[in-house]
Amino acid sequence: MTPGYIGSYSTEADRLTAAVTTSRHTTHNGITSDFGVDKVTINLDGGVFEESILAKGRRRKHLAW
């Protein structure tokens, strides 16, 4: 398993949508992913406010890398 992430985003006016796929960083006994799975895609929807964003997200787990 290679840790890392890949994603994309788009904006339209002040709206933002994004998707990021990431994998667990550390494989060590007793350490688990914050998401409970080794690979996850996080989908975000939100808005752009000056130099910041505010977004809500949801995850989709992957069964195999």
Side-chain angles (χ1 to χ4, degrees):
M1 173 184 337
T2 303
Y5 61 91
I6 187 167
S8 62
Y9 73 94
S10 65
T11 58
E12 184 175 323
D14 64 348
R15 300 295 307 156
L16 168 85
T17 58
V20 178
T21 299
T22 187
S23 62
R24 181 167 52 152
H25 178 270
T26 303
T27 55
H28 187 274
N29 292 338
I31 298 175
T32 60
S33 164
D34 289 337
F35 294 101
V37 293
D38 288 345
K39 182 180 178 187
V40 30
T41 296
I42 305 160
N43 296 298
L44 300 165
D45 293 302
V48 179
F49 305 96
E50 296 179 12
E51 294 184 16
S52 300
I53 64 167
L54 178 63
K56 290 185 177 184
R58 60 193 177 282
R59 73 169 174 97
R60 183 182 73 213
K61 70 179 180 180
H62 296 263
L63 298 178
W65 183 249

